[in-house]
Amino acid sequence: MNSKTSPERSARANRRRSISDRLEGYRRKRDFGRTAEPAGGATSAGEQPIYVMQMHAASHDHFDFRLEQDGVLRSWALPKGPSLIPGEKRLAVEVEDHPLEYGEFEGVIPKGEYGGGTVLLWDRGYWKPRGRPSRDKLDFDLHGEKLQGHWTLIRTRGRRTTHRRRDNNWLLIKRSDPRRRKLQPDELSVASGRTISEIARDEERRNEDQQAIPDQGSVEKARKAAMPDFVAPQLATLVSQAPDGDDWVHEIKFDGYRLMARIDGGQLQLLTRNGKDWSGRFPGLSSELLKLPVERALIDGEIASFEQDGSTSFRKLQDSFGSSKRPSRTDKLVFQTFDLLYLNEHDLRPAPLLARKQALIELLKTRPEMADRVRYSDHIVGHGPDFFAQACELGLEGIVSKSANAAYRSGRHRSWLKTKCTNQDEFVVGGYTKPAGTRSGFGALLLGAWSDNGLVYAGRVGSGFSERQLADIHQRLKPAHRKTSPFAGEVPDQAGAQWVTPELVVDVEFTERTGSGSLRHPVFRGLREDKDPKEIRLKTDVVQAETSIRPEKPQVKKTRATTSRTRKTRSGSEVSVAGVRLTNPERVMFPELGVTKLDLARYYEEVEDWILPHLANRPLSLLRCPAGREDECFFQKHPGQTFAKHVPRVAIREKKGGTSEFVYVTSASEIVALVQFGVLEFHPWGSLVADVEAPDTLIFDLDPGPDVTWRAIVEATISLHERITTLGLHGFLQATGGKGLHIVVPIKPKISWDEAKSFAQALARAHAQDDPGKLTINMAKSKREGRIFL
C-alpha cells in the first residue's frame, strides 16, 4: 500500500462520510422514488463556491437561498425574498443542508412529499466571503445573473430552540456597494426563461403525455435478434443542394461528436463512431440514460454544446473535456438523439426511418425529466431547400436529409445527405512550423488527406488556437516526430518544418479551396479523437460540391461587390484587389498561418466597414515586412517619394521644428495599397488629421510579466475598467496581439496631448498604488516580474 496515498484516500472517505451525515436530514424527509429532487453525491461544484436562489411555491410561497460550503448547499428560507435596498433586513430561516446538485433543480415536487410544490431556478452564480465566516455571521458578495453586490447573514441573538442548539432564525441584510447597482430582477427562471406557473403547467402536461415504452414487436419490419456489441453508424454524403419532396425528412445538423448509447442490463456504454467507450467522459449523461425503462437499447445521437441562440459550438464542446490542469465540465452538454436501432429483444434497423423515430420519441417520453440532457431531434417533411436556407440564416452548421422509408445501413450512403452552411472538413496533421514572436507550441499545422498516391498536402492552419490548445497539441505531436516528410510531393515554404507521423485528426473551417485544393482562410475548430486518421480521404468532388453550396446560402449583406480579378501576364498571374494591382500575390506574409499577400489584401477588402472607423483619417505608423514576417521588418513613420504614391499624406509639425509627412487612409483600396508595400501592422494616432493636436482617444495598456496568469490579467482589467467608468468615461476592450489587453477610451477632442497623458498617467498611478503587489507603472522589466505594467 502506498503510504502517501493512504491518508489522502482516508481524508476523502472522511469527507464523503461528513457530507453524507450532513445530508441525512434532507434524505430522510424525501422519497426519491416519487420526487425528482437529487439524492446527492457530488462533493465539489467547481472552482468558485456556487450560489443559488430558488422560488418555491409550496404551502407558503417563499424563496430558498443556498450557498455552497464544505461540500453541501447551506440553505435558508426567505419568506419575503431577498433584500435589495441597502440597509434593509429580511428574515432568513435556516433549513437542512441540500446536495450540490440541488443547485440545478427546477420542477414540481409531488403533493404529499416534503416541500410539495413548484420550484423555479430564480438566480445562480457564485459567492465570495468577505473576511472569515463565523458560526453566527456570513459577510459575502454575490455574483449572480440577477443579484450582485454585498450582503450579510447574521443569526438573531439570544434564543435557543433546544439545549446546545442555536436559533435557526437569521437576518439577510443588503449592504451598500462601492458602485451603487440598481437591482431590478424579474420573476423568470435563469435556466428555462419560464414563469413558475409555466413550470407547473409544463409538468402537468408531461405527466399527461407519459406513455409506456413502445411495443417494439409491432414496429414495421423489426426482427427479433440478439443485440450486437457495436454498430458502425450510418454516415451522410455531402451534397450541394438539399433534396426536395415528401420522401425526405430534414433534421438540424449538430456540431458535435457522434455517439451511440448502448444500454445492456443496467450497464451503459457511449461508443464513438470507431467503437471507443467514452462513457467515462460523461458520467452525468450516463446516469440519466440508465433511467430509461429498458433492458437493452441502442440509441444513435450526437453530444453537443449549445449556445444561447440554439446553435452548437464545437470549440466549447472540446473545452468542456478539460485537461491535466483543468477539470472536465461536461454537465451542461446535451445528447441529441435521432435514431433507435435496437429495443429490448428487437433489431429496428430494417424498419423505415419514421417508424424508428416514432419508437424513439415514445421511449424518451417515459422520462421527460431527462429533457435538459437527452433530447429528441425532430424533423420536418419535405421543403428541403427552404429548411436549409432557414438553418443557415439562423447561424447553424447545416442540415441532414434522410430518406423517410429507408432502413438503417452502416457506412456512408445516399439515403442520408448533408448540406452545409459553412465549409468545414477534417484533415490529418503531417507536420508543423515553428512559433514566432510570443507564440508558444507551434506556428501552423501542415494538413493533408489520403489518396491512392499517399498523403496529399491540403494547406496549413495557424489561427483559432487557444494557448491551452497550442500546448496540448504540441505535446501530442512530440512523440510522433520523424525526419522525413509524410506528404507525397513538395510542401510550399517547408523550410524549418517539423514532420510528424500522420496520426492526429483536426477539424478546420475555411472560406474556400484554391484550384490546387489548398485551403483559404482556414481556422482550427478542434481535435477529432473519434476519427481514424486512415478515414480522412482526399475528396476530389468536394471542391465543386462546397463551391456550389456557397451562392445558395444566406450571406451577410455586403456594401460593395468583390473587386478581385486575375489575368495572365508573361511572368505569371497578376491579381487586382479593390482596384490595386498586387505583385507577388502568393508571397507568404505570415508563415506560421500560411497567409499570403493576396489573402491579406482580400481580408482587408472584406472587413472595410469594420476597420475603417478605427483607421480612417488618422496618421499612421507602419510595420513593414516586405518579404514576410519572418524576414526583415522595420517601422516606418514617414513615407518616401516612391512609397505608396496614391495613399494620402498629412504634414505634421515636429517638436524639434520643421514638418514631416504621415500617411493616412480613407478606403479599403488605400489599405490594400499599403499591403502591396509589405505593411503588416497599422498603428493609428489617437487623433484625426483634421486636428492632430486634439486627441480623441486614450488607451490604457495592461502588459503582464511572463509569469502572470490570465485570470490575474482579467481581474486587473475589470477593476481598471470599473475605475474608468466611475469617472463618467466609457472604455472598450481590445486585444493587443500579445498576452496583454487594452482599454480604449474615446474622449472629446478638447484637451491637449500633454493634458491627456497627464490624466492617463495619474489614473494608472492611482490604480497601481491600490494593488502594488500585482500592478506597477515602473517600466523596468526587473520590477515587473509577477506584476502587470500599466
Side-chain angles (χ1 to χ4, degrees):
M1 182 176 66
N2 189 322
S3 60
K4 292 184 178 180
T5 59
S6 180
E8 295 174 3
R9 292 175 181 171
S10 178
R12 287 196 297 267
N14 289 336
R15 176 174 170 79
R16 285 194 294 270
R17 283 195 295 270
S18 174
I19 293 173
S20 181
D21 291 343
R22 294 185 63 173
L23 294 178
E24 181 181 358
Y26 166 85
R27 292 167 175 162
R28 186 176 61 249
K29 294 176 179 179
R30 290 161 175 82
D31 180 357
F32 296 106
R34 296 197 65 228
T35 180
E37 296 168 281
T43 59
S44 177
E47 296 179 1
Q48 301 281 5
I50 64 174
Y51 138 70
V52 176
M53 186 84 74
Q54 290 158 317
M55 290 179 67
H56 192 168
S59 56
H60 295 87
D61 293 352
H62 62 278
F63 283 75
D64 291 317
F65 178 49
R66 312 188 194 282
L67 300 176
E68 178 186 355
Q69 199 173 47
D70 299 328
V72 298
L73 290 176
R74 288 191 67 183
S75 301
W76 291 263
L78 307 177
K80 294 185 178 181
S83 49
L84 304 179
I85 301 173
E88 187 175 43
K89 302 174 183 178
R90 293 284 178 87
L91 175 65
V93 181
E94 188 169 14
V95 297
E96 73 275 9
D97 295 333
H98 283 52
L100 295 180
E101 294 91 335
Y102 213 95
E104 298 181 5
F105 176 68
E106 181 172 89
V108 176
I109 303 171
K111 291 182 180 180
E113 284 297 301
Y114 178 78
T118 307
V119 176
L120 176 147
L121 189 52
W122 186 78
D123 195 18
R124 63 186 172 189
Y126 66 94
W127 70 285
K128 285 187 175 181
R130 288 192 171 206
R132 179 173 296 179
S134 69
R135 294 182 60 188
D136 299 321
K137 183 179 179 181
L138 280 174
D139 203 31
F140 54 89
D141 286 316
L142 294 182
H143 298 270
E145 296 182 36
K146 295 181 181 179
L147 297 189
Q148 295 185 2
H150 182 192
W151 273 265
T152 297
L153 267 171
I154 187 166
R155 197 190 302 267
T156 57
R157 298 178 180 176
R159 299 195 304 274
R160 294 185 179 182
T161 55
T162 61
H163 181 59
R164 292 185 178 178
R165 184 171 180 180
R166 293 176 178 268
D167 196 336
N168 286 339
N169 289 339
W170 296 62
L171 293 176
L172 178 63
I173 308 170
K174 178 70 185 83
R175 301 298 190 185
S176 295
D177 301 316
R179 180 166 60 89
R180 184 68 60 85
R181 296 180 175 89
K182 189 175 183 180
L183 300 175
Q184 293 179 316
D186 54 42
E187 294 190 355
L188 301 179
S189 163
V190 293
S192 63
R194 298 177 293 175
T195 65
I196 203 159
S197 59
E198 287 172 339
I199 293 171
R201 187 185 66 233
D202 291 347
E203 184 71 17
E204 182 178 358
R205 185 179 298 154
R206 279 196 294 268
N207 290 335
E208 292 173 355
D209 290 343
Q210 277 192 355
Q211 303 175 16
I213 64 171
D215 180 6
Q216 62 273 13
S218 66
V219 176
E220 181 185 354
K221 295 185 180 181
R223 65 188 182 192
K224 197 166 186 178
M227 185 170 68
D229 292 334
F230 172 68
V231 172
Q234 179 161 350
L235 304 175
T237 300
L238 177 66
V239 294
S240 60
Q241 277 190 322
D244 206 354
D246 291 345
D247 292 337
W248 293 90
V249 299
H250 310 278
E251 303 169 355
I252 292 172
K253 188 178 188 302
F254 301 103
D255 201 1
Y257 279 121
R258 187 77 170 274
L259 288 180
M260 194 83 70
R262 185 180 189 276
I263 302 172
D264 187 4
Q267 301 295 318
L268 181 126
Q269 294 175 292
L270 292 173
L271 302 172
T272 68
R273 54 194 293 162
N274 292 321
K276 297 178 181 178
D277 187 358
W278 278 14
S279 52
R281 293 191 173 193
F282 314 103
L285 176 59
S286 299
S287 61
E288 287 289 314
L289 287 166
L290 285 174
K291 294 178 182 178
L292 290 170
V294 294
E295 182 65 22
R296 295 179 182 84
L298 271 177
I299 303 172
D300 195 359
E302 190 129 350
I303 191 78
S305 176
F306 279 83
E307 301 278 21
Q308 290 185 349
D309 61 3
S311 63
T312 51
S313 169
F314 190 73
R315 178 181 291 276
K316 285 189 175 181
L317 173 64
Q318 287 229 311
D319 287 344
S320 69
F321 291 158
S323 64
S324 58
K325 298 181 179 180
R326 189 171 57 87
S328 296
R329 295 298 301 269
T330 61
D331 53 314
K332 302 298 182 184
L333 301 181
V334 174
F335 186 44
Q336 198 76 36
T337 66
F338 44 72
D339 216 325
L340 182 61
L341 312 187
Y342 190 93
L343 185 60
N344 288 335
E345 305 301 325
H346 288 75
D347 188 348
L348 305 188
R349 286 176 292 174
L353 171 67
L354 290 182
R356 301 194 308 270
K357 285 178 70 81
Q358 183 60 35
L360 173 61
I361 195 170
E362 290 178 7
L363 175 61
L364 296 180
K365 278 184 178 181
T366 64
R367 290 294 182 269
E369 66 274 12
M370 296 182 356
D372 286 342
R373 299 294 309 278
V374 183
R375 299 176 187 168
Y376 171 72
S377 183
D378 212 341
H379 62 268
I380 69 163
V381 178
H383 308 287
D386 292 337
F387 185 59
F388 172 65
Q390 185 67 25
C392 295
E393 188 173 340
L394 294 173
L396 304 179
E397 188 191 1
I399 67 171
V400 178
S401 306
K402 301 178 180 179
S403 177
N405 296 310
Y408 190 96
R409 298 169 61 198
S410 296
R412 200 175 300 279
H413 301 281
R414 295 194 68 85
S415 57
W416 284 20
L417 306 174
K418 60 183 177 181
T419 320
K420 294 183 180 180
C421 299
T422 59
N423 290 332
Q424 165 272 327
D425 212 337
E426 289 87 32
F427 300 91
V428 180
V429 178
Y432 60 89
T433 63
K434 295 179 181 179
T438 59
R439 183 156 176 158
S440 60
F442 57 87
L445 300 178
L446 306 180
L447 309 176
W450 294 102
S451 73
D452 294 339
N453 297 322
L455 189 65
V456 178
Y457 177 70
R460 61 184 70 197
V461 59
S463 63
F465 300 95
S466 66
E467 289 292 331
R468 182 180 63 82
Q469 288 169 329
L470 286 170
D472 177 52
I473 294 173
H474 190 223
Q475 285 299 118
R476 290 172 183 256
L477 292 174
K478 282 182 178 179
H481 281 183
R482 53 186 284 173
K483 294 182 179 179
T484 58
S485 169
F487 295 101
E490 290 296 315
V491 175
D493 299 308
Q494 67 181 35
Q498 171 61 61
W499 308 115
V500 298
T501 302
E503 300 171 339
L504 196 67
V505 180
V506 296
D507 191 317
V508 176
E509 184 175 326
F510 50 94
T511 56
E512 60 182 340
R513 279 184 167 92
T514 65
S516 64
S518 293
L519 308 181
R520 192 175 300 285
H521 303 144
V523 178
F524 173 79
R525 286 167 21 102
L527 296 176
R528 295 307 306 236
E529 299 175 77
D530 58 330
K531 294 198 173 182
D532 186 334
K534 292 297 182 182
E535 291 182 6
I536 309 305
R537 304 289 297 177
L538 182 67
K539 300 176 180 63
T540 55
D541 60 331
V542 163
V543 176
Q544 177 60 36
E546 290 175 343
T547 303
S548 61
I549 289 173
R550 294 174 67 240
E552 300 171 5
K553 70 178 183 179
Q555 298 285 339
V556 176
K557 185 177 180 180
K558 296 289 185 182
T559 57
R560 64 197 59 76
T562 300
T563 57
S564 303
R565 62 182 184 273
T566 304
R567 66 182 178 88
K568 290 289 184 179
T569 65
R570 289 184 179 181
S571 59
S573 63
E574 181 183 283
V575 180
S576 177
V577 178
V580 177
R581 185 174 67 87
L582 298 181
T583 59
N584 301 313
E586 297 303 323
R587 173 172 289 164
V588 178
M589 305 303 289
F590 290 91
E592 71 274 22
L593 303 178
V595 174
T596 65
K597 182 188 288 188
L598 177 59
D599 292 333
L600 201 57
R602 284 176 170 171
Y603 168 76
Y604 283 124
E605 182 187 38
E606 290 173 4
V607 300
E608 177 181 5
D609 291 339
W610 289 272
I611 198 170
L612 278 179
H614 301 278
L615 289 185
N617 297 305
R618 295 180 181 275
L620 299 175
S621 296
L622 308 170
L623 177 69
R624 291 182 61 193
C625 304
R629 181 174 175 176
E630 288 191 347
D631 210 306
E632 181 181 357
C633 297
F634 55 91
F635 268 98
Q636 182 168 348
K637 290 185 177 182
H638 312 305
Q641 292 183 354
T642 60
F643 175 77
K645 292 182 179 179
H646 300 295
V647 177
R649 295 131 192 263
V650 59
I652 298 176
R653 184 175 298 278
E654 300 277 17
K655 286 186 177 180
K656 296 181 180 180
T659 59
S660 297
E661 284 191 330
F662 287 78
V663 297
Y664 65 95
V665 296
T666 61
S667 66
S669 63
E670 290 161 359
I671 297 176
V672 173
L674 295 177
V675 171
Q676 160 61 15
F677 278 81
V679 173
L680 296 190
E681 293 181 9
F682 303 87
H683 295 261
W685 281 35
S687 61
L688 298 171
V689 294
D691 189 355
V692 295
E693 297 302 333
D696 64 355
T697 307
L698 301 178
I699 298 179
F700 293 89
D701 183 14
L702 293 94
D703 185 9
D707 53 346
V708 177
T709 66
W710 174 246
R711 180 178 295 278
I713 300 169
V714 171
E715 290 176 350
T717 306
I718 291 173
S719 64
L720 178 57
H721 182 267
E722 288 179 346
R723 181 185 288 269
I724 292 170
T725 302
T726 60
L727 298 175
L729 300 173
H730 298 283
F732 300 89
L733 185 65
Q734 182 185 63
T736 65
K739 294 184 178 180
L741 292 172
H742 285 168
I743 299 177
V744 180
V745 183
I747 60 174
K748 292 182 179 180
K750 294 183 178 181
I751 60 176
S752 68
W753 279 109
D754 289 339
E755 290 170 324
K757 290 178 181 178
S758 296
F759 170 76
Q761 289 170 347
L763 195 152
R765 183 181 301 107
H767 199 65
Q769 289 173 348
D770 285 352
D771 196 353
K774 297 180 180 178
L775 307 173
T776 181
I777 58 170
N778 193 321
M779 294 184 64
K781 290 191 175 182
S782 61
K783 303 294 184 181
R784 292 160 59 180
E785 292 185 7
R787 294 192 287 180
I788 298 171
F789 171 57
L790 299 182

